[in-house]
Amino acid sequence: MNMHLTGKVAIVTGAASGIGRACAERLASKGAAVLVTDLQDQKGEGVARGIREAGGKAAFLHHDVTQEAAWIATIAAAKSQFGSLHILLNNAGIGRGAPLIEMSFETWRLQMAVNLDGMFLGMKHAIPLISQSGGGSIINVSSAAAMKAYPNMSAYCASKGGMKLLTETAALEWAPLGIRVVGIAPGAIATQ
């Protein structure tokens, strides 16, 4: 087994299910210690437990990515539990479809808060510890909707488009610090 991430520490948001769970399990299988974060406590604990039972290192933390104080606590937890941080995988996201004229401002703001604000806060607060840890990578999970409009998905498309450009800007700013920032834009994925 290739364990090229041994000694590395990762935070994966939205890791209780779907893409986040698969990423957390894969990172752990390559040797990384993983801080699994999500709002779904029972499922998140199950993911972390499954990683540990498979011989990996993992812990779970309840984490609302829309709250700056929660990000500060999450970064502190990574440092206190695993000593460093090398990888941030910003995966937490939501999509709520509705025709633009019918979408409530609350629904619009929720998608912006989770998808875009959460990613911004994660990068902002992870950078100092990643830099102190010798550099690393930030991976932002966007969507094909960042590059193509879909009817009834205005807030989702707007938030994912914002993620794309924020990722590219962060990549330019932080490359001199030894921090690679990349985005991935999957299409539809068959998850729960």
Side-chain angles (χ1 to χ4, degrees):
M1 179 182 280
N2 182 345
M3 300 292 281
H4 69 278
L5 294 179
T6 299
K8 304 297 184 186
V9 176
I11 293 172
V12 181
T13 67
S17 61
I19 294 170
R21 177 182 182 156
C23 290
E25 291 171 346
R26 182 71 169 182
L27 287 164
S29 77
K30 297 296 182 184
V34 181
L35 183 58
V36 171
T37 81
D38 207 294
L39 290 175
Q40 301 177 81
D41 296 344
Q42 193 169 21
K43 286 184 177 181
E45 289 280 8
V47 172
R49 184 173 49 256
I51 289 170
R52 291 190 302 270
E53 288 171 356
K57 294 179 186 173
F60 172 74
L61 184 68
H62 179 90
H63 180 199
D64 180 348
V65 298
T66 70
Q67 301 300 309
E68 188 164 21
W71 268 110
I72 293 167
T74 297
I75 301 304
K79 185 173 184 179
S80 68
Q81 292 187 44
F82 299 118
S84 57
L85 180 62
H86 306 94
I87 301 163
L88 170 61
L89 202 154
N90 275 314
N91 169 71
I94 60 167
R96 302 285 186 268
L100 181 61
I101 197 165
E102 296 174 12
M103 182 175 293
S104 70
F105 186 56
E106 180 181 69
T107 298
W108 170 272
R109 284 299 314 141
L110 177 63
Q111 290 176 88
M112 293 300 159
V114 174
N115 298 346
L116 188 54
D117 298 348
M119 187 189 85
F120 159 75
L121 290 168
M123 291 194 301
K124 174 184 170 142
H125 290 290
I127 287 298
L129 184 54
I130 293 174
S131 185
Q132 291 169 23
S133 301
S137 298
I138 295 175
I139 303 107
N140 295 323
V141 180
S142 181
S143 166
M147 294 159 280
K148 181 178 189 249
Y150 294 91
N152 303 318
M153 295 300 289
S154 58
Y156 185 76
C157 291
S159 67
K160 295 298 184 172
M163 287 175 68
K164 178 183 182 298
L165 288 176
L166 182 55
T167 296
E168 292 171 6
T169 302
L172 294 173
E173 289 183 15
W174 295 330
L177 301 175
I179 299 169
R180 184 174 63 113
V181 184
V182 298
I184 60 173
I189 305 291
T191 69
Q192 305 89 316

